Amino acid sequence: MRGANAALGAAGLAAFLALGEAVPRLGLVKEAYFPPTSRIAHALGQEVTDHAFWTALGDTLTGWALGLAIAIGAGVVVGLLVSVVPYLREATASTIEFLRPIPSVALIPLTVLLYGTELRSVLLLVVYASFWQVLVQVLYGVQDVDPVAEETARSYGLGPWARVRHVLWPTALPYVMTGVRLAAAVALILAVTAELVIGAPGLGARIAVAESSQAVPDMYALVVVTGLLGLLINVGARTVERRALAWHQSVRGEVMV
């Protein structure tokens, strides 16, 4: 079954690449705006031999990783505190619902004023966008705790932190991992967006330079790299999720199937 799915995926990718080669060659779109797949592949080959490309890639991954780590840590801690401390959930509900929908890109002028084009600007945007993904999932996970299990833990004399460790955390962990997976993708989007708009060092800034200098194949090659990064991050996040939840019924069922 997995082999058949892999073959179908490869066939679909090959068809997509062939379509990308044929459309500009047939004159359906101008090559100046959408170069054939072969030209993009050639530009990509030139990019990977350029030391500046790897420096930009490292800058993007640095902003992504640091911002994601901060967001995960803050989201888990704040989510648990808000859920465990009496009345804190009700007191913060309106504030969370007000701040969460604010688009991170709307904060770009503020980040430029505060930090210019430094890494801290990227981190601010990445952390803000990714934090809510984790926090909301933690809150949902805590809400899903079985009241019977909670009362049983209390009756056996477990303290607050013991109940968090043995009752609340195992229930919330699947939700947390979902939040981490979503936050990982959002963090990459905001890292590249910040570099593209602000001009912070990274792949986004390199894409902007390629676009402004009319190096269209190079621009598309860099876009392909960001897409591959997103794919690798998603695969890695799902792998970590399956390993962290190997004990969970949903993952065991998935493995059995």
Side-chain angles (χ1 to χ4, degrees):
M1 187 64 179
R2 291 185 178 180
N5 290 338
L8 288 173
L13 178 60
F16 177 75
L17 294 176
L19 181 65
E21 181 72 23
V23 167
R25 297 291 186 188
L26 295 175
L28 300 179
V29 296
K30 293 184 178 180
E31 289 192 25
Y33 303 140
F34 187 81
T37 303
S38 56
R39 288 184 60 192
I40 297 175
H42 177 71
L44 181 59
Q46 291 182 324
E47 284 288 340
V48 298
T49 60
D50 188 352
H51 181 267
F53 164 78
W54 294 104
T55 301
L57 178 61
D59 291 333
T60 297
L61 290 178
T62 299
W64 168 81
L66 289 177
L68 180 62
I70 295 171
I72 292 173
V76 170
V77 172
V78 173
L80 291 177
L81 287 176
V82 168
S83 301
V84 171
V85 177
Y87 305 112
L88 190 56
R89 177 68 184 273
E90 291 77 9
T92 58
S94 58
T95 302
I96 292 174
E97 291 304 319
F98 170 74
L99 293 175
R100 185 167 62 92
I102 297 177
S104 298
V105 292
L107 301 178
I108 287 179
L110 175 63
T111 60
V112 173
L113 288 174
L114 291 175
Y115 304 118
T117 59
E118 298 179 9
L119 175 61
R120 288 182 291 180
S121 294
V122 178
L123 289 179
L124 179 59
L125 295 174
V126 170
V127 170
Y128 186 85
S130 304
F131 169 78
W132 302 111
Q133 308 295 325
V134 181
L135 175 65
V136 170
Q137 290 299 321
V138 172
L139 296 178
Y140 285 154
V142 174
Q143 283 184 336
D144 201 35
V145 173
D146 187 353
V148 176
E150 177 73 15
E151 290 301 322
T152 302
R154 290 178 184 272
S155 65
Y156 275 96
L158 270 68
W161 293 114
R163 293 197 303 272
V164 169
R165 178 182 178 185
H166 298 290
V167 178
L168 189 152
W169 182 248
T171 303
L173 185 57
Y175 292 86
V176 174
M177 295 309 301
T178 299
V180 170
R181 177 161 46 85
L182 295 174
V186 170
L188 178 64
I189 294 171
L190 265 298
V192 175
T193 301
E195 295 163 356
L196 186 63
V197 177
I198 297 175
L203 291 176
R206 198 168 173 84
I207 291 173
V209 171
E211 186 272 335
S212 61
S213 60
Q214 299 299 313
V216 179
D218 296 271
M219 180 189 72
Y220 278 101
L222 292 168
V223 171
V224 169
V225 171
T226 61
L228 292 175
L229 274 181
L231 176 62
L232 292 176
I233 287 172
N234 185 60
V235 171
R238 288 188 175 276
T239 301
V240 172
E241 183 178 13
R242 284 195 297 268
R243 292 186 177 181
L245 300 176
W247 51 272
H248 197 264
Q249 181 179 0
S250 61
V251 175
R252 292 205 309 268
E254 180 181 334
V255 173
M256 290 176 64
V257 172

